[in-house]
Amino acid sequence: MTLIKTTYDRRSFIKVSTLSSGGMLLGFSWLASCKPDQVVNMPKEWFDINGFLKIADNGLVTIMSPNPEIGQNVKTSMPMIIAEELDVSWDQVTVEQAGFNIKKYTRQLAGGSQSIRQGWESLRMAGATARRMLMEAAAKQWDVPVAEVTTEEGVVKHGDKTIGYGEIAAVAATVTVPEEVELKDPKDFKIIGTPRKNVDGSKIVSGKPLFGLDTQREGMLIAMIEHPPAFGMKLKSLDSSSAKAMPGIHDVITINTSVPEGKEAQWSDTNAFNELVVVVGATTWQVMKAKKALKVSWEEESPPESTSDHIKSMYDLLGKNQKEPARLDGDPKKTFRNAAKVIERIYSAPFLAHNTLEPMNFFADVKEDQAELVGPVQTPEFMSKTASAVLGLPEEKISIMMTRMGGGFGRRLYGHFGIEAAIISQKVKAPVKLVYSREDDMTQGTYRPTYKVTYRAALDKNNNLIGFQVRGAGVHGSPVFANRFPAGAVDNYLAENHTLESNISTGAWRAPRSNFIAGAEQAFLDEVAEAAGKDPIEFRLELFERAINDPVGEDNDYDAKRYAGVLKLVREKSNWSQSTPGVYRGVSAYFCHNSYVAQVVDVVMKNNQPKVQKIWCAIDCGIVVNPEGARNQVEGGMVDGIGHAMYSEMTFKNGRPEQNNFDSYRLIRHREAPVEIETYFVDNGIDPTGLGEPSLPPIMGALANALAKATGERLYEQPFVGQAIELG
Amino acid sequence: MNSDQDGVNCKLFQKNNTQFMATYNLKINGQRKEVDADGDTPLLWVLREHLNLVGTKFGCGIAQCGACTVQVDGEAVRSCSLPISSIEDKSVVTIEGLSENGDHPVQKAWIEHDVPQCGYCQAGQIMNAAALLDQNPNPSDQEIDSAMNGNICRCGTYVRIKAAIKTAAAYQE
Ligand code: FES
Ligand code: FES
């Protein structure tokens, strides 16, 4: 049992009221204590925490899920936490999606990884507070001390007396909100830690309208955009006469989504193009056809860039020192001069599109004095501000409803499509659903930037790692995290960063930066271990030992014990020491989003092509709320990682994206997916940390290491398929 | 637009002075539906926008992702690339019509394995899997891979989908 102070002070204004039908309504502002800068620095999509719960007179509990669901299963796992502390049976709970309501929920954007812990506590507090109030109400009714009453599955008890939550809820709503509540001992958890099915599962499998693209309204028009064909271009002139004459076409207009002078832009306002041509008509197909009839000419605004330019510029940067290195320990220069062996490798990866399977879209109905926006967005709070600035309407007059999202991966942090829809609706004075075609979606992304990194390792004559250097370069930022492993485990260490400016728009993509650097680092360490003649797991464990016993420097942002823990767990579960003829194994371990992951990949050769036969994944992400959903996330992250490392890339020629749909942009498919996955969670009772992202980054390294064993070839450039390797 | 659907029984009329539309008689989920649309309109958009059956999803529009998969006369097809003029007199089944109560063996197996993440691809995966099992009640791993290869799951639920198809096969026995 833990006692915690509730934080329902003036800032978080808990609201309790009686429902008209009887029952109790509890309003919370979960993230009142979450500092905005944490969120701005590290926008993250996986843990959206905010809430609202009501108890009906029949005992049913409705938990509002104020943040949108993008497939990370928060709509199931977060209410589970509330239900646990409320002490109801999961069957009594229904979950509803709430709309954007800044007054009710205070902060409704995807939180940074720092807020997960706070969210965990807030959600528990929400359930525990309601439970306590129900207990107090019952105790008063029975005239017994509250310390003597208990609860069980939606019922308050005292001796033989019982009363259902629903029966006492209306009274409970009048009880003063307690200042202190009791949290359950994790060993008494009945819901947390048990597998629960997705709350939207049956709606998904029966095709119910859940997604933004499913929005239909009376009198609604369809809008589609035409954007410049290349980065660095802008609109020059437009002849829309033939498009306008086509059946069903309502209008062809141009819009500019720039935030007006004097108004503040939000970080989520990242987009590719501000000035767009828009076709508005009755049906999507008619609009698609009319788009083809547009005659638009474009002109150069900034010099067009090609993939070959980026490659050359990043190589140039890798040849330069960083004046003030991101981190320097010891004397790497001297160490490398005196080393017995030096290993140096360069790794690279291309731009990636997010390619959420549901393309960008948004519904907007903007009237003279109010606006209604509906669609898939992870950052409604920012959208509300930007919409207010561009529409000239106060924020109170703008309502935003978030729909279930057909994938996020970071793409829907940038809500420009909602702003576009709003401006179009305002201009054509009608409710409008903006629909991106796949081509529109893929060719004007907020891409994962292209990266390059040079690693160098120095070994002494006893094959000890004595020096380590990493120098990264990337579009709009370096991929290197200076204080991550093996920083702290090597006496002489240097980390340097270089940034390449570009007119191509980039943004967060599932596990930003880690999604490249983990694979590079883990592939490099594998080669270093090989050069040192050591088992790759032993080699890493030796380094963790060093970081545990005698860490170098103070800023190491990982816990070497937990790191070593997952590696040992995966070694045991995969039976690492056993070698099977025809099975080629690779290992990796990585820490990001506060979670530790280690993986072993088994590759076999089939028809002369490698096939991922099996993956073992050990993950330490603290308490696992919903093991079923968690496993699904971990599996998905690994399939995603394998797919992108193997097959995917976005390239540019004179500013033009060279891929625009799934015939030219390759994504992993059924045949290439791993045959079997086993996931193990470390059971350590630590508060939960990130889960949606951490399994993705290291798999790229484990795969590369297994492929090196299988094919005899080390792969340094993603996508690997470019080097004549296929899976399956 | 498309005024020459040969062999198709449809009534032509003019709209907006310049373009031809036609009335099509369709059989969707066992019901007769009349739709006025250009003959080249893909079945996908007719389902979604004319008939308000939005369970069938748009993912690529070029028969590459499978999100729009429906069954036409029992075959899994990509409705984004199937002009409305080509399907009169054929029987179309969408995810909404696969079962009355969402309890087709494939749907049940999907719940059992908690397959969906974002869920967007799943209607297409389910329609394809159901068609596969109708033709091959006990598919091998390879047969599942080849039948399902046209259906992308961006969230990476492939391993669960395969397991669910096997469970559905067992339910059907
Ligand atoms: S939308 Fe039809 S296959 Fe992608
Ligand atoms: S579940 Fe998201 S695309 Fe398949």
Side-chain angles (χ1 to χ4, degrees), chain A residues 605-627:
Chain A
M605 295 300 283
K606 266 197 184 152
N607 311 325
N608 269 333
Q609 289 295 347
K611 165 113 198 138
V612 178
Q613 186 63 34
K614 185 156 181 181
I615 305 173
W616 289 263
C617 178
I619 175 162
D620 177 350
C621 56
I623 292 172
V624 177
V625 177
N626 183 4

Side-chain angles (χ1 to χ4, degrees), chain A residues 357 406-407 409, chain B residues 115-122 125 152-157 161:
Chain A
L357 204 55
F409 316 108
Chain B
V115 173
Q117 286 190 28
C118 82
Y120 194 78
C121 72
Q122 301 295 347
Q125 307 273 6
I152 291 174
C153 176
R154 176 65 184 82
C155 299
T157 64
I161 289 175

